[in-house]
Amino acid sequence: MSTEHYSIGQLARATGTKAVTIRYYERQGLLPSPPRTASGYRVYDNDHRDRLLFVRRSRGLGFSLDDIRELLGFADEPSASCAEVDAKVAAQLVQIRQRLRQLRSLEAELQRLIACCKGGVIDDCQIIEALTEHQQASAS
Amino acid sequence: MSTEHYSIGQLARATGTKAVTIRYYERQGLLPSPPRTASGYRVYDNDHRDRLLFVRRSRGLGFSLDDIRELLGFADEPSASCAEVDAKVAAQLVQIRQRLRQLRSLEAELQRLIACCKGGVIDDCQIIEALTEHQQASAS
DNA sequence: GATGAGCCTTGTAGCGGCTATAAGGTCAAC
DNA sequence: GTTGACCTTATAGCCGCTACAAGGCTCATC
């Protein structure tokens, strides 16, 4: 059943993570310090690999390293309620949706800008115009 | 018509930008170094304010400071073609749309995770399961 | 003219999540 | 015994700010 031991480079290839990143996660306390060979090389096993994959999948879902530290903490307590995990994922979803709203309005704005540019010279450019245009202020 | 001179704090208030950020933009070459009073205070005028607003609006559209430096360069050449401006905005729109796609699939994934969690204990938690689950590998 | 509040100045360091670079040690194959 | 691919550590850089420290200026009030 699969290679049981990995060097950092092998683990990197097995998980699609760069070796520097793996070391970085270790320094950040997301991965345990693995045992070393006599010459100081890190030696990983399948548990390390699984934990790293957990981290990578969570990153892929947009969680911060802090979030992931928490999620790992939850995962390590199999008899605790999963309400907190649920809440964390829900909070992340809220964040993502907020970001989506921002980006959608940004998309609309950019689209509007492009639509109003008919080619020509900067001096007549509606885009530059729109960026330059001075309104704001009023109330104080 | 309007105050012609601003201290950095006044400019900050007039544009919704923090004073530190204004100085930062100056160091980054986005804003010209303004004249100073005898005692070394920066003194801004409406041109400075307009340029700063240009920067802020562009930031609001998601442009990087590098992008903005370019846009400012274009804006300063009124007789040049606006094709490059157009291209820059279009490229930005492409970026935003790519990011939107990413976030949308991320949203779907999180939603799926939440939907499959029925409450209970970590050990049965489908979310932790999904994050932990080891599949990947196969092809090389 | 002394005090204090609130502005201004500079410089430096920190955030997150890596990534890059340097300078060296190890290991297997030839 | 030498090449080249790996591993080690430490340090600095990326972006776009933000925070902090330590000091100078200005103005109102006493």
Side-chain angles (χ1 to χ4, degrees), chain A residues 35-47:
Chain A
R36 306 280 188 130
T37 64
S39 54
Y41 285 20
R42 287 170 180 81
V43 180
Y44 297 97
D45 62 22
N46 284 336
D47 286 348

Side-chain angles (χ1 to χ4, degrees), chain A residues 120-125 128, chain B residues 72-82:
Chain A
V121 142
I122 295 277
D123 211 22
D124 310 321
C125 182
I128 294 290
Chain B
L72 283 166
F74 297 146
D76 289 343
E77 286 185 60
S79 60
S81 154
C82 75

